Amino acid sequence: MVVGVSEEELRKRLELLRVEHRDLDAAIDALTEAGGIDQMQIARLKKRKLKLKDQIALIEDYLIPDIIA
């Protein structure tokens, strides 16, 4: 992944990404329930949420390597 980054730092980053992902989910839900007036804003938030999901998956894959049984 990133040279010079400790496992502890990756775990902290992972938690921050998860929190931001949950916050975006709540924001998207709130905007949608409010009538979704600004569809472009909702689309931007969804795009950011997908990027976060990809970053989360990358870090999880790095921290939890596949074990061939």
Side-chain angles (χ1 to χ4, degrees):
M1 173 145 253
V2 178
V3 178
V5 178
S6 71
E7 185 175 323
E8 182 180 335
E9 290 170 325
L10 284 175
R11 290 189 188 283
K12 287 178 184 177
R13 175 79 176 136
L14 182 60
E15 185 55 33
L16 290 174
L17 291 172
R18 286 178 175 157
V19 167
E20 186 176 352
H21 188 269
R22 282 191 300 264
D23 290 348
L24 280 173
D25 201 26
I28 291 167
D29 287 345
L31 285 172
T32 303
E33 288 175 11
I37 298 167
D38 190 354
Q39 292 299 320
M40 288 295 287
Q41 180 67 17
I42 293 172
R44 281 189 214 102
L45 292 174
K46 286 182 176 182
K47 188 173 181 178
R48 174 70 180 145
K49 187 178 163 193
L50 285 173
K51 286 182 181 180
L52 288 172
K53 183 178 178 183
D54 290 344
Q55 291 176 347
I56 289 168
L58 272 172
I59 294 173
E60 286 175 340
D61 287 348
Y62 181 78
L63 292 173
I64 308 165
D66 291 336
I67 298 174
I68 300 173

